[in-house]
Amino acid sequence: MTTVIDSPASLVTEAHLRQFQEKGFFVLEGVIPAAHLEMMRTACGNLIDQIDERADEAGRPRTTKYFFSVWDEPQGANPVKDIAREQIRQFVFSDLMAEITRSLLGDDVYLSYEQFVVKAAEKGGTFAWHQDSAYVPAKHDPYLTCWCTLDDVTEENGTVYMLPYDRAGTRDLVPHTKLEDDFDLVGYRGDDPGDAVIAPAGSIALFSSHVLHRSGPNTTPRRRRIYLPQYSSAPLLDSAGKPFYIAEPFLKDGRRVG
């Protein structure tokens, strides 16, 4: 089954497209529907509860930086994730995301990756300067990261900072090194602090996988929650030619699939 999307992309303006081309990113404030925002918050909370319970049962300390996906386990392996995945599908394959991704990627779009990124209250740590493409092992075209805010994001609670192409001095993928005692990759060690994304809950920061970005610590008494779907114009493959993570078709010839 295919669905034709008749209306032009009204959210993404010519000014947005120019900024994306020139700087590599832009922000759409408050565009996530309230029902989808609440659904993602609920799914996020249920999965964090499961992660914390497993850590407690194993006698491990609870993490301060949560990374978790809803697509990384097969159907039936984790009932909590099964429910969350069906909920999240409503957002990642929504009319809103069809408009946005078609505007920036063209008529063929795949869901290629997704995860929640949550910083614990008062102690959620930083993320070093990196490009998302550095984490994909095989050569690929730049893809689209959709940094969806489930909370208001501020400098105090660890928002993301973008380094525009002109200040980074490149649009290309740069060499990265691994931080000691962490899995973070680092692609920039300069002095530019970047441009902070200050936005209300329900916003989406859209940026190319070649844009250098970082985030600060969460010093507030509340969690900072982000949902991060990533889309590409062709499947992202690993070094063996297999899908790196997800390669689920979303748009084909401008029509929504599924």
Side-chain angles (χ1 to χ4, degrees):
M1 173 184 175
T2 60
T3 302
V4 179
I5 303 172
D6 295 318
S7 59
S10 57
L11 287 174
V12 181
T13 66
E14 288 299 322
H16 289 135
L17 293 175
R18 282 195 302 272
Q19 182 174 333
F20 193 81
Q21 176 62 29
E22 293 169 4
K23 295 187 175 184
F25 66 91
F26 64 91
V27 180
L28 295 175
E29 292 194 1
V31 295
I32 299 174
H36 283 178
L37 183 60
E38 189 57 35
M39 170 268 293
M40 288 189 284
R41 287 169 169 168
T42 299
C44 181
N46 290 340
L47 289 164
I48 285 178
D49 287 345
Q50 183 182 69
I51 292 168
D52 286 346
E53 287 170 7
R54 289 178 174 178
D56 293 345
E57 290 170 359
R60 300 190 308 268
R62 294 184 178 185
T63 186
T64 60
K65 293 193 297 187
Y66 295 85
F67 303 88
F68 52 90
S69 167
V70 299
W71 254 268
D72 64 346
E73 295 185 55
Q75 187 78 23
N78 184 336
V80 177
K81 282 196 175 180
D82 288 346
I83 294 171
R85 183 163 51 246
E86 289 309 306
Q87 293 172 327
I88 294 298
R89 289 185 70 89
Q90 299 171 38
F91 173 70
V92 296
F93 297 124
S94 65
D95 288 344
L96 170 68
M97 300 313 294
E99 266 191 37
I100 291 170
T101 58
R102 186 175 60 179
S103 296
L104 296 170
L105 293 172
D107 287 341
D108 293 341
V109 177
Y110 293 78
L111 177 67
S112 294
Y113 193 76
E114 56 78 38
Q115 66 177 351
F116 284 94
V117 183
V118 180
K119 295 187 177 185
E122 297 178 339
K123 52 189 176 183
T126 63
F127 294 98
W129 282 114
H130 67 280
Q131 296 164 307
D132 287 343
S133 277
Y135 288 91
V136 180
K139 186 176 180 181
H140 60 278
D141 291 331
Y143 54 91
L144 177 66
T145 294
C146 304
W147 199 81
C148 303
T149 66
L150 307 190
D151 303 291
D152 297 348
V153 290
T154 65
E155 293 190 85
E156 290 74 25
N157 71 359
T159 194
V160 68
Y161 296 76
M162 307 287 186
L163 191 60
Y165 289 142
D166 58 341
R167 283 154 49 193
T170 184
R171 296 169 175 266
D172 299 328
L173 180 61
V174 300
H176 285 61
T177 56
K178 189 174 180 296
L179 280 180
E180 293 183 12
D181 302 322
D182 204 338
F183 61 85
D184 283 10
L185 296 177
V186 185
Y188 175 74
R189 295 182 182 274
D191 297 329
D192 193 318
D195 294 341
V197 172
I198 309 299
S203 301
I204 309 177
L206 297 140
F207 55 97
S208 166
S209 63
H210 281 191
V211 168
L212 283 156
H213 57 286
R214 68 174 180 93
S215 66
N218 181 9
T219 60
T220 73
R222 296 178 180 273
R223 290 171 176 160
R224 191 226 66 183
R225 299 167 293 180
I226 300 296
Y227 183 62
L228 194 78
Q230 295 174 321
Y231 301 86
S232 56
S233 57
L236 300 180
L237 305 178
D238 62 19
S239 55
K242 298 179 180 180
F244 171 61
Y245 185 56
I246 309 170
E248 187 159 347
F250 181 21
L251 302 180
K252 181 65 176 177
D253 297 327
R255 299 169 181 260
R256 198 169 67 197
V257 180

